[in-house]
Amino acid sequence: MEAARDQTTPSVSDREDRESRKLLSRLRDTLATPAKGQERLDRITHLIADSMGTEVCSIYLFRDPTTLELCATEGLKPEAVHQTRMKLGEGLVGRVAKTSTPVNTGDAPSEKGFRYMPETGEEIFSSFLGVPIQRLGEKLGVLVVQSKAKRQFSDDEVYALEVVAMVLAEMTELGAFVGDDEAMAALHKHPVLFRGLMGQEGACEGRVWLHEPRVVVANPVGDDPETEKARLNAAVEDLRGSVDAMLAGGEIADKAQQEILEAYRMFANSRGWLKRMEEDIDRGLSAEAAVEKEQSATRARMEQVPDPYLRERMQDLDDLSNRLLRILTGQGNDTGAEMPENPVLVARNIGPGDLLEYGRKLKGVVLEEGSVGSHAAVVARALVIPLVIQASRITTEALNGDPILVDGDQGVVHLRPEDSVAAAFRDKIAMAAAAQTRYASLRELPAVATCGTRVGLHMNAGLMADLPSLKGSGAEGVGLFRTELQFLIRNRVPQRGELAQLYARVLQAADGKRVVFRTLDIGSDKVLPYMKPQDEPNPAMGWRAIRVGLDKPGVMRMQLQALLRAAAGRPLTVMFPFIAQASEFFEARQALLDEVERERKIGHALPFKLEIGAMLETPSLAFAPKSFFETADFISIGGNDLKQFFFAADRENERVRRRYDTLDVSFLSFLGQIVERCHEAHTPLSFCGEDAGRPVEALCFAAMGLRTLSMRPASIGPVKHLIRKVSLRDLRAVIDEAMASGVQSVRPAVMEWLARQPV
Ligand code: PEP
Ligand code: MG
């Protein structure tokens, strides 16, 4: 799209501009005249064909995300309307939609990918020009003109059709083609079901709160280009002023933020950007529509750019366009809308810092993008709010205040649900709440099985805000405190003093209960905003966690000092993540002991007890020399990583992450071997992956000999309830028998046995 534009600049003649404006105002008139959606579409194809001097004009709109349908035509056979369909990528029309780029050819039938559709009678038309109808990167359809004469359309004609397509996109958004008044009213009113992916378990009911409210452009067509240009220029001035003020204000503490603002300033001052928008206005668009047209082009390009740096800069430009739109429409982030009660945040994506700022106010989060391991997911997990990711198109559908149900367990979202769906959902939430109340009565009781075996249940945490759960859940301590979040939410490395303060507050809040601090597990996919991204083919197995800590020890040592200072006079427990061989643990441990020595020398108070442990997250460590098991004060199995490496199944890849059962015989026997090695060395062993919070899995781990489990706080009740009802000795016999019988997974045998227990 850009290429075509660049070649034409700046010679769009006044006459063409006038023609274009005339067409756009006629389009606007069709919008203003009451009519059924189909009538409008028919009128529009007629108008465009007439104005462009082509025999054919057709509008194809998406029926579903992968199917386009011919919705109106001037010049093709009328019987084909609503009959002719094609898949994304199929034929020339499908190609335009898929690539979001125009196709312009004088000889369509010999063009690669041409699909002959006899029902349309289009074989007699040689030349073809198709442009995408899209709004802010959202594909809505394709606008096509065709003619018999064998000729390529000029760049000016391509540009003119793009401007028309932009107006059609806005009209689609305004509901102009769904029908008359009652259909207009129906837009954004129907129940819609979104199937995304599970980001964090749990269910909630609430009302939509859009992180970035949609800007509605009520009028895509400008009456007078000079007025529109003046409005645009004033808005750009305003924007420049606010960026300059932010830069000059001195409140930008860190370099990364500064760089973003510099990039904003560069774009805001870019002549090319402004000039393109002015040309769009000359063609008849309103100032808002011109900004949106540029923004749509940026988003379409963003999809094609693999380079993360360039994508980030385009993201900056996208943000800037948003700001400009808000200035023009007066629809700020503070649109005056009040955050509803029980807000469910809906966003394309969100940074960890922004999400934390909303904090526990939120009942749930739904994102269009995101991955299981994204920073936002890490924060949502820490906040223990249901999260659904990859709910595509939800920001387009949802309006502030819409009722919404989020089912994090299934990765499903119901927007504006039917009453019956809402009622069933409420039952589910009520049952979960009733169960939590039941579990609350167990809070002060130990997790002792009927055979007398006691299992320590601890909780996972990552924020100061998690600590109240220590009391509420009945956890015996924090079995895993993930320290990444404090690094992820800032745009700079946190300072030692800040960290020491935070860790001290955590220990204070734990009130003598044990807290296991895991040193920074970062790198590769969990890239810190201020860390140079490493281009690694396989990040999960790349330069991460302890590998970064040992190769570039500065940050790790600073963190260790912060921990030592926080724990002065109190016990301190530190664990190193992702240890793959004994020597890594020995080296990390020595680094900590060196820091202890340093602290002693400078006269700082030391922790009165120090435990140093390792996370067993790679199968190799299970086969480490005995000296490792003897040296470690404790070992914690990071089951999420261990399982992914044991089965070679990426924990973030939806296609394989659930493929292998945790209760698979080979995995359970492997756990049994680790238990055995720790037992020989008298080294305490715990399990802190997500599986520890799944009651049946937790029960089996305990039966295999694990005596400490660490899980999210909400799981402690259900796990404790189950443990207290059964004999782990009996369960072990069931597992052993199943294993001996040659099954793949012990799950069926365990479930059958459980069904016979008084639970
Ligand atoms: C694990 O891998 O099981 C673990 C607890 O660590 P994380 O999920 O943070 O990688
Ligand atoms: Mg891990």
Side-chain angles (χ1 to χ4, degrees):
M1 197 187 299
E2 267 313 284
R5 289 288 312 278
D6 289 346
Q7 288 154 23
T8 64
T9 39
S11 60
V12 269
S13 73
D14 285 351
R15 195 188 60 77
E16 278 156 344
D17 284 352
R18 267 200 311 277
E19 282 301 309
S20 176
R21 283 205 296 274
K22 214 183 322 162
L23 173 58
L24 295 200
S25 63
R26 283 161 78 191
L27 286 180
R28 189 182 48 189
D29 292 345
T30 66
L31 186 63
T33 320
K36 296 244 185 287
Q38 185 63 47
E39 252 175 75
R40 280 212 180 101
L41 278 171
D42 293 342
R43 236 182 268 165
I44 286 172
T45 50
H46 175 77
L47 273 178
I48 298 173
D50 184 41
S51 162
M52 303 268 307
T54 54
E55 284 102 339
V56 176
C57 172
S58 311
I59 294 174
Y60 297 81
L61 295 175
F62 276 100
R63 242 193 108 73
D64 61 53
T66 57
T67 316
L68 285 149
E69 180 177 298
L70 175 66
C71 287
T73 186
E74 168 81 18
L76 297 184
K77 290 186 185 158
E79 312 82 90
V81 172
H82 298 303
Q83 299 304 321
T84 294
R85 290 192 190 158
M86 66 270 305
K87 288 279 168 206
L88 193 64
E90 192 186 347
L92 298 186
V93 173
R95 189 165 106 200
V96 174
K98 182 160 185 204
T99 58
S100 298
T101 325
V103 169
N104 177 8
T105 168
D107 187 6
S110 62
E111 189 73 14
K112 192 165 162 265
F114 176 79
R115 203 195 85 179
Y116 174 52
M117 292 176 291
E119 72 278 16
T120 63
E122 70 168 346
E123 61 278 14
I124 50 170
F125 302 104
S126 275
S127 53
F128 173 103
L129 169 60
V131 299
I133 304 174
Q134 58 186 351
R135 184 177 186 269
L136 301 181
E138 183 197 347
K139 299 173 196 264
L140 301 168
V142 176
L143 172 63
V144 175
V145 289
Q146 292 173 278
S147 62
K148 286 185 187 153
K150 256 194 182 185
R151 68 170 188 101
Q152 272 235 327
F153 289 89
S154 71
D155 289 340
D156 270 354
E157 285 170 311
V158 176
Y159 177 31
L161 201 65
E162 279 177 0
V163 170
V164 172
M166 175 69 212
V167 173
L168 291 187
E170 291 301 331
M171 291 169 93
T172 312
E173 168 66 15
L174 292 170
F177 307 132
V178 264
D180 47 20
D181 294 347
E182 101 285 341
M184 281 273 276
L187 199 76
H188 297 294
K189 287 272 191 300
H190 290 302
V192 191
L193 170 76
F194 295 90
R195 282 186 198 285
L197 300 177
M198 181 199 112
Q200 158 75 19
E201 291 156 5
C204 72
E205 176 176 17
R207 300 234 164 218
V208 169
W209 180 249
L210 290 166
H211 180 48
E212 285 190 326
R214 274 172 91 66
V215 173
V216 181
V217 175
N219 182 9
V221 180
D223 288 322
D224 168 32
E226 293 317 314
T227 316
E228 293 302 308
K229 276 195 263 185
R231 287 182 61 227
L232 177 71
N233 276 292
V236 169
E237 259 325 295
D238 200 343
L239 182 71
R240 281 182 194 146
S242 67
V243 173
D244 285 347
M246 277 192 275
L247 271 165
E251 68 249 43
I252 324 296
D254 59 85
K255 213 161 155 273
Q257 230 177 325
Q258 170 107 13
E259 269 172 22
I260 292 176
L261 283 174
E262 298 280 5
Y264 279 3
R265 175 146 73 179
M266 187 187 81
F267 289 124
N269 286 316
S270 145
R271 285 291 315 143
W273 187 50
L274 187 60
K275 190 152 153 264
R276 284 197 298 273
M277 292 190 286
E278 286 183 338
E279 282 172 12
D280 293 333
I281 290 177
D282 279 334
R283 288 285 180 153
L285 292 186
S286 64
E288 294 85 334
V291 176
E292 268 204 12
K293 182 167 177 288
E294 269 309 300
Q295 201 177 6
S296 290
T298 310
R299 288 204 182 159
R301 280 202 304 276
M302 221 147 66
E303 265 185 29
Q304 318 283 337
V305 173
D307 180 332
Y309 178 81
L310 278 181
R311 280 177 68 93
E312 236 172 71
R313 293 290 76 84
M314 287 183 168
Q315 184 68 50
D316 294 342
L317 182 55
D318 192 63
D319 288 348
L320 201 68
S321 305
N322 273 335
R323 281 166 190 253
L324 193 54
L325 269 180
R326 296 221 153 86
I327 296 174
L328 276 167
T329 56
Q331 299 169 27
N333 241 345
D334 41 340
T335 45
E338 283 226 355
M339 191 185 256
E341 262 184 53
N342 301 326
V344 170
L345 187 89
V346 173
R348 240 178 351 126
N349 215 341
I350 186 168
D354 284 347
L355 189 50
L356 262 182
E357 225 164 82
Y358 285 112
R360 287 180 195 269
K361 269 195 290 237
L362 299 177
K363 286 282 155 200
V365 180
V366 183
L367 301 179
E368 276 190 8
E369 298 172 4
S371 67
V372 184
S374 67
H375 301 172
V378 174
V379 175
R381 226 163 282 151
L383 293 172
V384 204
I385 42 180
L387 164 71
V388 171
I389 53 173
Q390 294 182 23
S392 84
R393 291 173 43 82
I394 189 156
T395 59
T396 320
E397 270 296 341
L399 296 179
N400 263 344
D402 276 349
I404 186 168
L405 309 171
V406 182
D407 186 342
D409 304 330
Q410 309 289 330
V412 165
V413 178
H414 300 269
L415 182 68
R416 302 180 288 262
E418 308 267 9
D419 289 349
S420 58
V421 174
F425 205 81
R426 264 173 226 139
D427 283 350
K428 180 178 162 146
I429 295 176
M431 269 166 64
Q436 285 301 336
T437 318
R438 263 202 318 278
Y439 300 140
S441 64
L442 301 176
R443 201 159 41 208
E444 307 303 328
L445 302 175
V448 182
T450 58
C451 56
T453 309
R454 192 182 193 292
V455 183
L457 303 185
H458 297 242
M459 66 172 238
N460 296 344
L463 289 173
M464 189 55 215
D466 290 327
L467 270 294
S469 302
L470 198 48
K471 226 176 156 96
S473 67
E476 292 173 39
V478 177
L480 165 68
F481 189 92
R482 292 181 166 105
T483 59
E484 293 80 70
L485 281 174
Q486 286 70 41
F487 286 77
L488 284 171
I489 56 181
R490 288 183 174 79
N491 283 324
R492 58 177 167 81
V493 181
Q495 286 163 357
R496 184 178 56 197
E498 288 172 298
L499 288 182
Q501 259 183 21
L502 172 92
Y503 300 150
R505 276 174 34 230
V506 169
L507 288 169
Q508 187 74 29
D511 197 19
K513 287 184 173 169
R514 186 171 181 252
V515 179
V516 181
F517 288 98
R518 173 177 78 182
T519 62
L520 195 57
D521 181 357
I522 208 84
S524 301
D525 59 336
K526 280 192 202 147
V527 183
L528 298 178
Y530 38 85
M531 203 168 113
K532 198 164 136 244
Q534 305 291 321
D535 189 13
E536 294 186 300
N538 218 334
M541 295 197 258
W543 196 55
R544 58 175 279 200
I546 197 66
R547 299 173 183 178
V548 180
L550 294 177
D551 295 355
K552 291 248 183 275
V555 173
M556 185 174 86
R557 284 195 182 255
M558 180 275 286
Q559 189 183 26
L560 294 175
Q561 286 161 13
L563 284 165
L564 289 169
R565 289 185 190 178
R570 288 185 277 221
L572 174 65
T573 312
V574 177
M575 134 171 120
F576 293 104
F578 212 65
I579 302 285
Q581 58 182 23
S583 63
E584 288 173 337
F585 175 66
F586 295 148
E587 208 184 316
R589 180 174 180 274
Q590 191 55 50
L592 177 50
L593 295 177
D594 289 349
E595 291 310 322
V596 172
E597 202 41 47
R598 227 176 69 104
E599 291 293 295
R600 186 197 313 279
K601 278 204 186 118
I602 50 180
H604 284 163
L606 295 174
F608 99 87
K609 180 181 163 201
L610 179 62
E611 286 181 281
I612 311 177
M615 278 187 87
L616 196 156
E617 305 190 85
T618 61
S620 60
L621 198 63
F623 303 94
K626 200 167 169 205
S627 59
F628 161 71
F629 288 89
E630 286 170 347
T631 313
D633 292 325
F634 65 94
I635 290 171
S636 189
I637 295 176
N640 306 333
D641 275 313
L642 185 65
K643 198 176 153 200
Q644 84 164 335
F645 295 117
F646 186 78
F647 288 111
D650 187 344
R651 65 191 260 192
E652 286 189 31
N653 179 342
E654 209 51 39
R655 294 175 98 152
V656 297
R657 68 192 216 99
R658 282 184 249 245
R659 189 178 176 96
Y660 303 101
D661 190 357
T662 304
L663 302 186
D664 181 285
V665 166
S666 42
F667 191 61
L668 274 193
S669 340
F670 184 52
L671 292 185
Q673 287 175 34
I674 300 169
V675 169
E676 198 44 47
R677 292 212 66 189
C678 288
H679 186 69
E680 278 167 14
H682 305 290
T683 306
L685 175 67
S686 61
F687 188 109
C688 65
E690 297 300 316
D691 281 326
R694 303 199 167 99
V696 176
E697 280 81 342
L699 214 54
C700 292
F701 295 161
M704 292 305 293
L706 276 146
R707 292 292 167 262
T708 306
L709 303 174
S710 192
M711 60 199 76
R712 53 194 193 105
S715 296
I716 290 185
V719 169
K720 191 189 280 185
H721 169 80
L722 204 53
I723 289 178
R724 290 175 57 85
K725 293 285 185 188
V726 299
S727 156
L728 292 173
R729 204 177 301 138
D730 290 357
L731 175 57
R732 178 61 189 256
V734 170
I735 292 175
D736 285 346
E737 196 186 323
M739 280 186 174
S741 73
V743 291
Q744 185 67 63
S745 165
V746 305
R747 190 178 298 273
V750 169
M751 294 312 286
E752 203 232 312
W753 174 80
L754 262 180
R756 287 187 273 115
Q757 306 305 304
V759 288

